[in-house]
Amino acid sequence: TSPMYEAHATILIKDEKKGVNDAEMLEALNVYTSKKIVENEMVVLQSRALMEKVVDRLHLYAAVYAPEDLGGKNMYNNSPVTIEAQDPKKIISMEAPVLFRLHPAKDKISIDKTEYPLDRFVNTPYGVLKFIKTPFTASADGALEYSFLLNNPTSVAAVLAKRVKTEPTNKISSVLDLSIQD
């Protein structure tokens, strides 16, 4: 079984309108207005649009795996290579991972005997991709075998949006508890 991890954060929602002038002070004390602002922020934090930005910025549509006995281990935090698509919206989700070899000494990777340079966009059978060196590239010795799996960013964002939980700390607070399991 794959382990599940949970991350937590606490967010203070500021109302930009509060404290503008004395006439609006009574409105600032209105609990229902604050509650609406908090509820609106909860919807935004769980929205697919925000999750798509997260997926795109963190390249979560391209998972890199280390070969292991049971299907591989996602190397997100310590991968020697991250993969960026030139146009992530054109990605079609793959059925199976693609094996590649990293050649750190040559600054290249190879897929099916075709070599591609690192840190440049290149045409591959899987789209226009860039294989980016990470701080862990230097510690990779020799030609090491990994695999990657591309998924449509919209699909990845939908899964993440379902996993994000937002809850106010209490009924009148403008503080939210944010958590995600993965």
Side-chain angles (χ1 to χ4, degrees):
T1 321
S2 296
M4 291 294 285
Y5 298 96
E6 186 169 27
H8 290 272
T10 305
I11 300 173
L12 172 64
I13 306 299
K14 289 179 140 185
D15 183 358
E16 297 297 324
K17 294 179 183 176
K18 285 187 180 179
V20 173
N21 63 37
D22 291 340
E24 294 178 357
M25 191 176 292
L26 289 175
E27 184 181 329
L29 294 173
N30 186 348
V31 173
Y32 297 109
T33 301
S34 292
K35 186 174 181 179
K36 285 180 192 174
I37 292 167
V38 170
E39 288 172 355
N40 290 344
E41 291 298 324
M42 288 172 61
V43 170
V44 170
L45 288 168
Q46 292 179 295
S47 71
R48 279 192 186 181
L50 181 62
M51 286 302 125
E52 284 181 11
K53 288 180 182 178
V54 169
V55 168
D56 192 40
R57 186 171 293 150
L58 298 177
H59 309 222
L60 298 178
Y61 52 80
V64 176
Y65 297 94
E68 290 190 357
D69 294 336
L70 297 172
K73 174 185 167 193
N74 190 329
M75 299 188 64
Y76 178 75
N77 284 335
N78 55 359
S79 174
V81 175
T82 58
I83 301 170
E84 178 182 348
Q86 190 171 41
D87 189 357
K89 291 178 181 162
K90 290 184 180 178
I91 292 174
I92 297 171
S93 295
M94 302 168 89
E95 295 294 321
V98 174
L99 290 173
F100 72 94
R101 293 182 75 79
L102 172 64
H103 309 277
K106 298 195 292 186
D107 274 349
K108 295 185 184 244
I109 64 124
S110 59
I111 303 171
D112 295 330
K113 298 181 183 176
T114 303
E115 288 189 342
Y116 301 99
L118 295 176
D119 299 322
R120 271 191 252 156
F121 280 108
V122 292
N123 286 316
T124 72
Y126 314 101
V128 180
L129 303 175
K130 184 193 294 187
F131 300 90
I132 305 165
K133 289 189 265 186
T134 71
F136 300 101
T137 304
S139 63
D141 295 327
L144 301 171
E145 194 169 90
Y146 299 95
S147 61
F148 69 88
L149 187 66
L150 299 176
N151 287 294
N152 182 278
T154 304
S155 302
V156 176
V159 169
L160 283 179
K162 288 179 184 175
R163 291 181 181 170
V164 171
K165 303 278 188 262
T166 56
E167 297 175 346
T169 54
N170 61 49
K171 290 180 183 179
I172 60 170
S173 176
S174 64
V175 177
L176 292 177
D177 282 329
L178 180 68
S179 65
I180 186 167
Q181 284 190 340
D182 196 17

